[in-house]
Amino acid sequence: MWDNHGMDSFLLSGLNPEQHAAVTLPEQSALILAGAGSGKTRVLTTRIAWLISSGQANPQNILAVTFTNKAAKEMLTRLSAMLPINTRGMWIGTFHGLCNRMLRAHYREANLPQTFQILDSADQLSAIKRLMKAMNVDDEKYPPREMQFFISGNKEEGLRASEVEAFDPYTRRKVEIFAEYDAQCQREGVVDFPELLLRCYELLSRNAALREHYQQRFRHILVDEFQDTNKLQYQWLKLLAGSNNALFAVGDDDQSIYAFRGANIGNMQQLTRDFHVHSVIKLEQNYRSHGNILDAANALIKNNPNRLGKNLWTVEHKGEAIRVYEAPTDAEEAMFIVDEVKQLNHEGMRLSGIALLYRSNAQSRVLEHALVSAGLSYRVYGGLRFFERQEIKHALAYLRLMQNTEDDNALLRIINFPTRGIGARSIEQLQENAKLHNTPLWDAAARAGGKVSAFVALMESLRNATRELPLPEIIDHVLVHSGLIAHYQNEIGAKRREAQERLENLNELINAATLFVHENEDDSLTAFLTHAALEAGEHQAGDSDDALHLMTVHAAKGLEFDAVFITGLEEGLFPHQNSKMNDGGLDEERRLMYVAITRARRRLYLTFAQSRMLHGQVNYSLVSSFLRELPEELLHWITPRLARRNPHAATFTQQCDAPIATPVPRPASSTGWRAGQRVSHQKFGEGVVLDIKGGGADGQVQVNFKRAGTKWLALEYAKLTPL
């Protein structure tokens, strides 16, 4: 047995006063409001070690919940280093992992077979498709992914099919499918991920003896990332805690960014009421970032209402001012970032200490192109490189098959995507036929009938319709008429965020083609497909290489870097345009920006572009409102003075209220008009000149109008008035 007094001194050494207070709280429920970089993992782990070393709890009396298996393993490793105990039997894990463990121990009471299997998301979708086919359900009226979302969403709310309210025939049919799906899973002895938690909650709810057993056992329940808990997870915790146990919750309402996964930020304030938490301990001392970075984060997040409230600070010096760069275009924004990364690397900063953050996955394409061109090693964290993403590979497969009908891999990828009723057996017959006649699959498909012949006809129509089109228009036509756009639009109801990102990536493919045309003499489809293959096949760094990190802000949560670039700070992009459609959406976007800022240790860059390519066309943007919320004294503008728009300048409010931001002024053409000039049209209203071609009777001017969008007008008849 160890010396308790000496062990306690060892465990508590080095803690700041607030950390010390949190770790040594008496046996009571508590909310620890842990700011970014404030040492929350240390506090949580030390709290467990202190409870054990001080004799207040045995290892088996503790239940600790994390949100990832990685976090659980890290906690167990730290505990092993702190105390001479065997941690193998401790209940430390994710919600799903702990519920699985409980259900395995009480499978009979849970009405499950001893060897029940767990369905991952892909397996669950397959099971739903199989059931719907057996029920003769129209999968166009009831898309399987939408049904998956419906079933999982209700389970995460704690609802069975019999408890879902259905006020119309459409919803009643969905409820019937839900009920049959549950019955099928029960017959087959399988559970999906939401079922693990719901089944465990139901088990404890109805079995008083079992519930009391675990309530007496787990005297101390500790929860990490509490701001990310959903409704059912919180109800499960309440059930285990009962009326006597202590719930020690660590979280940060300012970093609640997963509403799309069902996270309920209101659980934090609900906790203080349900568990009579009288004092909230705030961990505000930051051990990560320089002072100016923290001051910027504090200034931004204070604009959110209904916060529990905290203010990050550090004993470190203020550090460098936050660098702000405004680029004329998204391509020039990427070029600036590449130049700065090279300079940082030249000064001794490792590439692995630098991160490029973006709000939307589609933004990575421009950055990746610039990095590849510069020969800089990079790694896409938590995702795929642009040309490796599923929807991009589908689109490229259509283009490849149009170019080369002997491309069997391309044909196999898209012959039934989007779904067109060509089953596995039909494809096997095609392969057998092609092998028998020693021909490509396309020739076998051309000889086939039914739905396969319809696919062949589709491909022929795509080839014929795009024969004379420019490259970007070829891709646009294929995306629409192949059904890819409609497929992902239909998925928005089921997986809104994922489907929206896939649509944005498909639009970005058109932008990639537009840029390719501008940069290459050979702008053929064949040349573009070669370019895409080369960019997909190279430059992704290995795990052991020193490489730059590219990632979305969501993926960056929990990470930190010496230098961080937050890119694309434009209205509609960050904050995202979807944030205006949901109550509290802008608040969550601001929390996302707060997370992005607090990833930086030493240097922070904020970049945006006056114009950005969207759907193959140039669009002019307003600078992000979040930039306005940062104090001017913290910012160092490194944009050339004549080209920049300082958000703190007197004219900024007018510019932000205007429909279209002013791009970098350019010299007037011989026609008298210039790009960036504000104009008015009798029919279309106010707009901004984008481009001028030619002069005289053949001249044209391109204008982006507030109400009417982008239009080409003949100069001779344009009737534009300068503003």
Side-chain angles (χ1 to χ4, degrees):
M1 194 68 181
W2 57 82
D3 173 14
N4 285 350
H5 178 73
M7 180 58 70
D8 287 354
S9 299
F10 166 72
L11 292 174
L12 302 177
S13 63
L15 298 178
N16 66 40
E18 292 74 24
Q19 291 173 334
H20 187 282
V23 168
T24 59
L25 272 173
E27 189 172 332
Q28 65 186 50
S29 292
L31 175 60
I32 312 302
L33 199 59
S38 63
K40 71 175 180 64
T41 304
R42 181 183 184 186
V43 166
L44 197 60
T45 310
T46 308
R47 169 71 173 176
I48 296 173
W50 183 77
L51 288 171
I52 296 171
S53 70
S54 62
Q56 297 183 60
N58 293 316
Q60 61 266 30
N61 297 139
I62 292 170
L63 178 83
V65 188
T66 66
F67 266 81
T68 65
N69 289 316
K70 180 181 177 182
K73 289 177 182 176
E74 181 182 352
M75 193 176 295
L76 289 166
T77 300
R78 290 195 186 194
L79 278 172
S80 297
M82 288 179 172
L83 296 175
I85 60 172
N86 184 353
T87 60
R88 290 179 64 87
M90 292 187 69
W91 284 62
I92 296 178
T94 64
F95 280 101
H96 292 116
L98 294 171
C99 286
N100 173 61
R101 184 171 176 176
M102 200 172 286
L103 291 174
R104 296 285 177 194
H106 307 286
Y107 64 90
R108 289 192 183 89
E109 294 91 335
N111 193 25
L112 288 169
Q114 185 174 8
T115 57
F116 70 84
Q117 299 299 305
I118 300 172
L119 301 176
D120 63 18
S121 181
D123 292 334
Q124 182 191 27
L125 182 60
S126 295
I128 291 170
K129 288 179 178 178
R130 178 161 48 86
L131 172 74
M132 289 174 62
K133 186 175 182 180
M135 294 177 67
N136 293 317
V137 176
D138 183 350
D139 61 6
E140 291 192 4
K141 187 175 181 181
Y142 298 92
R145 281 194 180 275
E146 187 174 317
M147 280 307 310
Q148 182 181 31
F149 180 81
F150 178 78
I151 292 169
S152 296
N154 278 295
K155 286 187 178 185
E156 287 168 357
E157 287 289 312
L159 299 175
R160 289 290 180 195
S162 59
E163 300 167 307
V164 178
E165 294 183 345
F167 300 105
D168 56 79
Y170 180 76
T171 308
R172 282 196 289 273
R173 184 58 168 160
K174 290 170 72 172
V175 169
E176 289 173 9
I177 297 168
F178 182 4
E180 286 298 321
Y181 167 78
D182 267 357
Q184 174 179 282
C185 289
Q186 186 65 39
R187 286 194 306 271
E188 297 176 359
V190 296
V191 297
D192 53 41
F193 272 93
E195 180 73 19
L196 283 171
L197 188 60
L198 179 56
R199 184 75 64 114
C200 191
Y201 174 76
E202 291 171 340
L203 171 65
L204 294 173
S205 296
R206 67 171 182 264
N207 193 319
L210 200 61
R211 182 173 66 250
E212 290 170 8
H213 163 75
Y214 280 110
Q215 286 176 347
Q216 290 176 9
R217 175 173 181 172
F218 297 131
R219 306 297 297 175
H220 295 272
I221 300 173
L222 302 94
V223 188
D224 192 13
E225 305 285 8
F226 188 76
Q227 76 279 353
D228 293 334
T229 54
N230 64 28
K231 179 179 178 180
L232 183 58
Q233 288 165 344
Y234 181 57
Q235 293 300 321
W236 183 79
L237 290 168
K238 280 182 64 178
L239 206 56
L240 275 176
S243 56
N244 298 316
N245 296 339
L247 182 59
F248 186 91
V250 181
D252 183 2
D253 57 336
D254 290 335
Q255 295 189 76
S256 180
I257 60 173
Y258 294 122
F260 65 93
R261 293 182 187 169
N264 182 8
I265 191 173
N267 283 349
M268 299 192 79
Q269 296 199 1
Q270 189 67 38
L271 170 77
T272 62
R273 295 189 290 269
D274 291 343
F275 288 86
H276 309 293
V277 176
H278 301 297
S279 62
V280 175
I281 296 179
K282 299 179 181 180
L283 305 182
E284 298 172 297
Q285 184 175 354
N286 179 279
Y287 293 91
R288 176 187 299 158
S289 307
H290 286 170
N292 283 334
I293 294 171
L294 298 180
D295 290 345
N298 290 330
L300 175 87
I301 203 64
K302 74 178 182 182
N303 293 289
N304 268 5
N306 305 317
R307 297 172 59 229
L308 290 169
K310 64 182 183 313
N311 204 61
L312 297 177
W313 60 275
T314 181
V315 297
E316 296 289 330
H317 51 77
K318 288 292 186 180
E320 303 172 357
I322 296 166
R323 290 162 165 79
V324 183
Y325 183 79
E326 177 181 16
T329 68
D330 51 352
E332 290 173 89
E333 177 192 33
M335 290 168 59
F336 163 76
I337 291 170
V338 164
D339 289 341
E340 286 295 308
V341 167
K342 284 181 175 179
Q343 183 61 32
L344 289 171
N345 191 235
H346 178 72
E347 292 171 2
M349 187 179 292
R350 289 175 59 82
L351 291 177
S352 57
I354 306 171
L356 276 53
L357 307 185
Y358 36 81
R359 173 63 180 85
S360 168
N361 263 312
Q363 290 172 253
S364 80
R365 203 272 311 164
V366 176
L367 296 170
E368 288 186 63
H369 180 71
L371 293 170
V372 169
S373 300
L376 282 172
S377 183
Y378 71 92
R379 184 182 300 111
V380 178
Y381 181 91
L384 297 170
R385 289 174 294 168
F386 180 78
F387 285 108
E388 290 181 343
R389 292 168 190 163
Q390 176 204 91
E391 60 280 7
I392 299 302
K393 295 183 80 170
H394 286 327
L396 293 176
Y398 275 99
L399 297 169
R400 283 164 45 200
L401 191 60
M402 282 169 48
Q403 284 294 97
N404 176 18
T405 56
E406 295 185 4
D407 190 336
D408 286 357
N409 285 332
L411 184 146
L412 287 171
R413 185 175 190 92
I414 60 174
I415 190 171
N416 197 41
F417 192 92
T419 303
R420 48 180 61 92
I422 301 174
R425 181 58 192 144
S426 296
I427 295 172
E428 287 174 8
Q429 288 173 343
L430 280 182
Q431 291 172 313
E432 291 167 1
N433 190 293
K435 185 176 181 181
L436 179 65
H437 292 87
N438 194 28
T439 62
L441 285 174
W442 176 263
D443 292 350
R447 293 190 293 267
K451 293 174 180 176
V452 173
S453 65
F455 169 71
V456 171
L458 168 66
M459 294 304 304
E460 293 288 3
S461 70
L462 292 177
R463 183 184 296 110
N464 293 331
T466 58
R467 202 179 301 277
E468 303 298 328
L469 293 179
L471 178 62
E473 293 182 31
I474 291 174
I475 295 175
D476 192 6
H477 182 92
V478 169
L479 293 179
V480 173
H481 292 88
S482 67
L484 285 174
I485 293 291
H487 171 79
Y488 291 115
Q489 284 175 336
N490 289 337
E491 284 199 336
I492 284 181
K495 290 191 173 182
R496 180 177 185 86
R497 182 170 175 269
E498 180 182 320
Q500 189 65 46
E501 282 194 351
R502 295 194 190 282
L503 287 169
E504 290 173 359
N505 285 335
L506 289 175
N507 280 330
E508 188 62 27
L509 185 62
I510 301 172
N511 298 340
T514 304
L515 180 65
F516 182 80
V517 169
H518 286 306
E519 291 185 344
N520 295 272
E521 290 184 12
D522 182 359
D523 59 2
S524 66
L525 178 56
T526 300
F528 178 70
L529 290 172
T530 300
H531 159 77
L534 290 173
E535 288 218 352
E538 299 178 359
H539 309 290
Q540 176 87 328
D543 292 340
S544 59
D545 296 340
D546 181 34
L548 192 69
H549 293 276
L550 272 67
M551 68 190 77
T552 64
V553 182
H554 280 99
K557 187 172 179 291
L559 305 177
E560 56 186 73
F561 304 92
D562 290 327
V564 169
F565 293 79
I566 306 176
T567 67
L569 281 172
E570 298 138 33
E571 284 295 304
L573 192 54
F574 200 1
H576 198 278
Q577 58 187 2
N578 290 346
S579 65
K580 299 176 182 178
M581 302 177 189
N582 308 310
D583 290 340
L586 185 60
D587 295 343
E588 177 149 333
E589 287 290 298
R590 189 176 285 109
R591 293 194 292 270
L592 197 57
M593 180 65 177
Y594 175 84
V595 167
I597 291 173
T598 54
R599 299 311 95 196
R601 296 190 193 108
R602 293 162 44 193
R603 185 175 289 190
L604 177 62
Y605 292 85
L606 308 177
T607 70
F608 60 100
Q610 294 179 350
S611 66
R612 189 171 294 274
M613 187 100 48
L614 295 172
H615 204 75
Q617 294 186 337
V618 174
N619 282 258
Y620 287 90
S621 310
L622 295 172
V623 62
S624 172
S625 56
F626 292 156
L627 199 51
R628 266 188 297 167
E629 298 176 4
L630 304 182
E632 182 179 6
E633 62 272 15
L634 300 179
L635 307 180
H636 170 56
W637 284 75
I638 50 180
T639 310
R641 181 175 297 275
L642 291 177
R644 82 185 193 196
R645 285 172 291 162
N646 189 328
H648 298 282
T651 59
F652 181 74
T653 302
Q654 294 179 344
Q655 290 178 345
C656 280
D657 291 338
I660 305 164
T662 306
V664 177
R666 299 172 188 167
S669 70
S670 59
T671 65
W673 302 106
R674 58 176 172 78
Q677 186 173 7
R678 289 182 178 276
V679 295
S680 178
H681 188 274
Q682 184 176 354
K683 179 179 179 181
F684 302 128
E686 293 183 15
V688 170
V689 175
L690 302 183
D691 197 5
I692 304 99
K693 289 184 178 179
D698 297 326
Q700 291 182 306
V701 58
Q702 186 186 36
V703 183
N704 186 1
F705 291 104
K706 174 184 177 182
R707 297 194 306 269
T710 301
K711 295 186 179 296
W712 280 102
L713 304 174
L715 281 169
E716 190 175 359
Y717 307 106
K719 296 182 180 179
L720 294 174
T721 304
L723 293 178

